[in-house]
Amino acid sequence: MKNIFRILSLALLGILVISCEKDEDRAVINETVTGKVSADKSILTLNELTANDAVINFTWTKPTFNIAVVPSQEIEFGIKGDNFKKSAAIDFSNDVTTGSATHAAVNAAMFNIGATPDVVNDIEARLKTSVGSAYFYSNVITLKITPYTPNPDLVYPKINVPGAYAGAAGYANWTPANSPNLFSPEKNDSYRGFIWISNPTGDNGKYKFAINQDWPGNKGDDGTKTGKLVADGADIVPASAGTFYMKVDWAANTYSSVLANFGVIGDATPTGWGSDTDFVYSPATKTYVINSIMLSSTGVFKFRANDDGAMKFQPKKDDQALVSGKAVQTYFNAENTVEGDPGYKVSEAGNYKIELDLHNSAYYKLTVTKL
């Protein structure tokens, strides 16, 4: 019994010794001098026309530490008062103490933290230094930044829909880099959007799904025609000609396709609420167009699919008055982005051209132009 006790005691002592040795070997990183950052301006108006030009210059002194480290560094942005709960950063090489940021880079950061476009936002910025999983922060500087609405084609993830139909739609047949896209407004593996197919017969309307504008990693039907995808699967054949609302879950390997041919309807139109005036797809502009329609200033109108109210393009919440020639974002009720049943109106009666740009599901766009 004494021998067993002696063995257990020695084992426990060995564990304690090893544990102590590990604790002694483990270096503790402490910041001995805090970093400090400044900028050459505090008011920025960002401009997409000069997107690649520098708009602000930062200068900083690096923090120092009690041990030798190789840190990474970035300028971090956040909405003032939010304590950087939602932040975005611009990276800089670890061997510099000054750096500039372009209009595009700062605007992307503003978009990611939820700053409001076209108005002044109160923003905070700081130097963030990373050493492994440890973070160290400088003083905070305040900025007033007016961002612009970013090009949604550049900021949202997308997959490509190459196929034999694409040439007739204004793109190139079976070319992932020159084909319509489905976008992910939520920036996840769920993609959606509208695809126009003029001829479904034979091989003319076939398509597949690709990613990164190239064929590696493409997906097609698994052969069951039940909405399941597999890598390098079979070409998908549309059910008919027309516009299709497609949804793809890239991770779950599923897809769906629903016919959605749109027209305008409302008491502001010549046929009232009784019938639609249909859009025509233009391969030249890749938009849906009604070239001329009389609109009254006393009624409203909206855009519905398949002569039915299940799928509609509308304002987000309230009836919206449109300005001739000015594009606005329009919302698709089937994506749960519309409150109530609002419509559009014009302030002056007359003949109008109506154009729906549906190429990007993250930003559907409507323009009415008085003729």
Side-chain angles (χ1 to χ4, degrees):
M1 193 69 176
K2 288 181 180 178
N3 288 336
I4 294 174
F5 179 75
R6 212 173 273 143
I7 293 169
L8 289 174
S9 298
L10 289 171
L12 179 61
L13 180 62
I15 291 171
L16 290 173
V17 169
I18 292 169
S19 178
C20 289
E21 287 177 351
K22 287 184 177 178
D23 286 340
E24 288 173 1
D25 291 341
R26 197 179 289 137
V28 178
I29 301 171
N30 289 315
E31 190 179 35
T32 56
V33 177
T34 302
K36 188 174 182 180
V37 67
S38 61
D40 65 344
K41 62 188 69 171
S42 60
I43 300 175
L44 288 72
T45 300
L46 305 178
N47 190 334
E48 189 172 18
L49 297 178
T50 54
N52 295 321
D53 294 345
V55 67
I56 188 171
N57 295 295
F58 295 98
T59 301
W60 59 88
T61 56
K62 297 181 179 183
T64 58
F65 302 94
N66 61 317
I67 60 174
V69 296
V70 181
S72 60
Q73 54 188 9
E74 57 192 16
I75 299 296
E76 185 180 38
F77 299 89
I79 301 292
K80 186 177 181 180
D82 194 40
N83 199 30
F84 295 90
K85 289 180 181 177
K86 188 175 184 180
S87 66
I90 298 175
D91 294 330
F92 291 94
S93 172
N94 64 9
D95 60 349
V96 300
T97 56
T98 184
S100 62
T102 64
H103 289 260
V106 176
N107 200 72
M110 295 304 99
F111 174 80
N112 287 329
I113 65 175
T116 305
D118 304 318
V119 299
V120 177
N121 293 258
D122 289 316
I123 302 297
E124 294 178 327
R126 63 187 180 184
L127 176 68
K128 178 180 178 181
T129 304
S130 305
V131 182
S133 59
Y135 304 109
F136 303 88
Y137 302 99
S138 72
N139 61 304
V140 174
I141 59 175
T142 58
L143 305 168
K144 290 187 177 293
I145 301 180
T146 304
Y148 55 86
T149 300
N151 183 344
D153 290 0
L154 301 178
V155 297
Y156 290 97
K158 63 186 177 182
I159 59 173
N160 326 116
V161 192
Y165 75 94
Y171 299 87
N173 287 342
W174 294 114
T175 307
N178 186 10
S179 64
N181 300 300
L182 305 182
F183 285 82
S184 178
E186 291 77 27
K187 296 186 176 182
N188 54 23
D189 282 320
S190 296
Y191 300 86
R192 58 181 182 258
F194 292 90
I195 303 294
W196 182 75
I197 298 175
S198 65
N199 184 358
T201 62
D203 292 333
N204 297 303
K206 290 182 176 180
Y207 61 91
K208 297 180 74 172
F209 301 110
I211 198 164
N212 299 324
Q213 302 187 78
D214 206 349
W215 283 113
N218 78 86
K219 296 182 181 182
D221 192 88
D222 71 345
T224 65
K225 300 180 181 179
T226 58
K228 297 177 182 178
L229 295 171
V230 293
D232 295 311
D235 296 344
I236 302 170
V237 181
S240 66
T243 297
F244 291 88
Y245 181 55
M246 296 184 184
K247 299 172 75 173
V248 172
D249 188 321
W250 196 256
N253 289 314
T254 60
Y255 74 97
S256 64
S257 179
V258 179
L259 192 67
N261 292 317
F262 283 91
V264 61
I265 192 170
D267 55 4
T269 71
T271 57
W273 295 107
S275 63
D276 304 68
T277 302
D278 293 334
F279 282 94
V280 175
Y281 180 80
S282 169
T285 61
K286 303 180 179 68
T287 60
Y288 295 84
V289 180
I290 296 174
N291 283 308
S292 179
I293 185 172
M294 176 64 72
L295 297 175
S296 75
S297 58
T298 57
V300 298
F301 55 95
K302 59 195 72 171
F303 312 100
R304 69 176 186 176
N306 309 326
D307 300 326
D308 182 84
M311 294 187 287
K312 291 177 288 188
F313 278 102
Q314 308 173 254
K316 187 176 183 68
K317 185 175 180 180
D318 302 310
D319 287 351
Q320 182 176 356
L322 300 172
V323 176
S324 175
K326 183 178 180 180
V328 299
Q329 185 173 3
T330 187
Y331 299 88
F332 189 36
N333 71 325
E335 294 172 349
N336 299 315
T337 53
V338 177
E339 295 182 36
D341 193 23
Y344 294 104
K345 52 189 176 182
V346 293
S347 59
E348 185 179 356
N351 280 319
Y352 284 83
K353 177 182 179 180
I354 303 177
E355 188 172 28
L356 271 177
D357 183 347
L358 306 183
H359 86 276
N360 188 329
S361 57
Y363 195 91
Y364 301 120
K365 190 164 59 176
L366 165 68
T367 309
V368 299
T369 306
K370 195 170 187 299
L371 300 174

